[in-house]
Amino acid sequence: MENILHKANSRGHANHGWLDSHHTFSFANYYDPHRMNFGVLRVLNDDVIAGGRGFGKHPHENMEIISIPLYGDLEHEDSMGNKEVIKEGDVQAMSAGTGVFHSEYNKNEDKEVHLLQIWILPKKRNIEPTYSQISMKLEDRKNKLQQIVSPNSDDAGVTINQDAWFNITELDAGNSIQYQLNDSTNGVYAFVIEGDARVNDQKLNKRDGLGIQEVETIDITADTKAKVLIMEVPMSF
């Protein structure tokens, strides 16, 4: 099966002044019938939020919502009673299940906050909503894989209601790493956060994404210093 390449400049884009957002998959006013999802990976938004601004209280249900801050401080508050601030190195996951309300604001007035927000279709619907957050050691992703999301509560990273695993790596130029899938029936979506890298010999630049199916491993080589997010997800839902 062919790989799916999404170049950074092909993404949907919406600039609301306080929010500058790029959409890898169809979202809000951006619609492309050929870019609805990659398996259970439904949303991959690259958001920059202006100082002191954010998303007011709004609802979600039956979706796994993962937030990965790249810089700045994002304040989260939800109807489950959680009020937390997440920053670079943190990973946040919310299983919306039967329904939850939450808000997200840039905690600082004087600088932007930049984050990736990712939505995954759930394995089980209508579960009781849950929230989890973890602080990862940035040095543990230097030239190696750092698992940040998994379906197992006793495993590394935050836990979600889906058989999906996320890893992140920061590779020095010229270094390579191999990712072994947990389930060979899954697909992998690789997203280059920073730098230039080759994934299974496909050259990718900053904010490019590549979906790969029917493999047991993928190889990643950094052409420059690079940060890469690897999302292993079920392809059927």
Side-chain angles (χ1 to χ4, degrees):
M1 188 171 292
E2 289 186 5
N3 295 339
I4 299 170
L5 175 63
H6 295 142
K7 297 296 289 182
N9 61 6
S10 73
R11 297 177 297 170
H13 181 222
N15 191 334
H16 303 283
W18 66 273
L19 171 67
D20 190 9
S21 185
H22 288 84
H23 313 306
T24 294
F25 301 103
S26 294
F27 186 84
N29 292 328
Y30 167 61
Y31 175 73
D32 182 336
H34 303 293
R35 293 177 71 156
M36 293 303 298
N37 59 286
F38 177 77
V40 300
L41 174 58
R42 175 61 189 88
V43 166
L44 173 52
N45 285 350
D46 182 1
D47 292 342
V48 179
I49 303 172
R53 303 296 299 273
F55 301 94
K57 188 176 290 185
H58 59 280
H60 292 283
E61 64 179 28
N62 288 316
M63 193 66 71
E64 304 300 298
I65 301 168
I66 299 134
S67 296
I68 303 173
L70 303 179
Y71 62 76
D73 303 304
L74 185 74
E75 186 169 53
H76 163 100
E77 188 170 3
D78 63 46
S79 55
M80 293 178 281
N82 300 294
K83 187 173 182 179
E84 303 287 348
V85 175
I86 56 173
K87 58 187 184 301
E88 183 184 6
D90 295 343
V91 183
Q92 177 198 80
M94 188 170 64
S95 294
T98 53
V100 66
F101 285 83
H102 79 138
S103 60
E104 298 165 293
Y105 282 93
N106 185 343
K107 187 172 176 59
N108 302 303
E109 296 283 344
D110 58 344
K111 62 180 181 180
E112 296 173 332
V113 64
H114 195 165
L115 73 147
L116 300 178
Q117 187 164 100
I118 300 159
W119 294 7
I120 300 287
L121 299 172
K123 182 177 181 179
K124 296 179 181 178
R125 294 177 57 84
N126 299 319
I127 66 168
E128 182 178 351
T130 63
Y131 176 91
S132 59
Q133 177 181 332
I134 193 167
S135 295
M136 313 297 292
K137 294 181 179 179
L138 296 178
E139 60 268 25
D140 289 347
R141 61 184 62 167
K142 302 291 187 182
N143 295 308
K144 55 186 175 181
L145 294 166
Q146 181 184 53
Q147 184 172 285
I148 61 172
V149 174
S150 89
N152 307 310
S153 59
D154 57 352
D155 209 349
V158 293
T159 306
I160 65 169
N161 169 35
Q162 184 52 271
D163 294 327
W165 290 261
F166 288 14
N167 281 259
I168 196 166
T169 184
E170 293 184 9
L171 296 174
D172 291 326
N175 281 16
S176 297
I177 201 164
Q178 185 176 79
Y179 176 76
Q180 174 81 42
L181 274 71
N182 293 274
D183 184 339
S184 61
T185 67
N186 285 345
V188 171
Y189 194 90
F191 184 74
V192 178
I193 299 172
E194 297 289 347
D196 306 295
R198 282 172 284 129
V199 178
N200 280 11
D201 291 327
Q202 172 67 57
K203 184 172 177 57
L204 301 175
N205 307 113
K206 180 178 178 179
R207 299 305 203 270
D208 290 350
L210 180 69
I212 305 170
Q213 299 182 57
E214 298 179 359
V215 296
E216 295 184 358
T217 62
I218 64 167
D219 296 304
I220 304 163
T221 300
D223 293 330
T224 66
K225 187 175 182 179
K227 182 190 295 186
V228 183
L229 175 64
I230 302 157
M231 296 170 278
E232 177 187 340
V233 296
M235 297 308 296
S236 58
F237 55 92

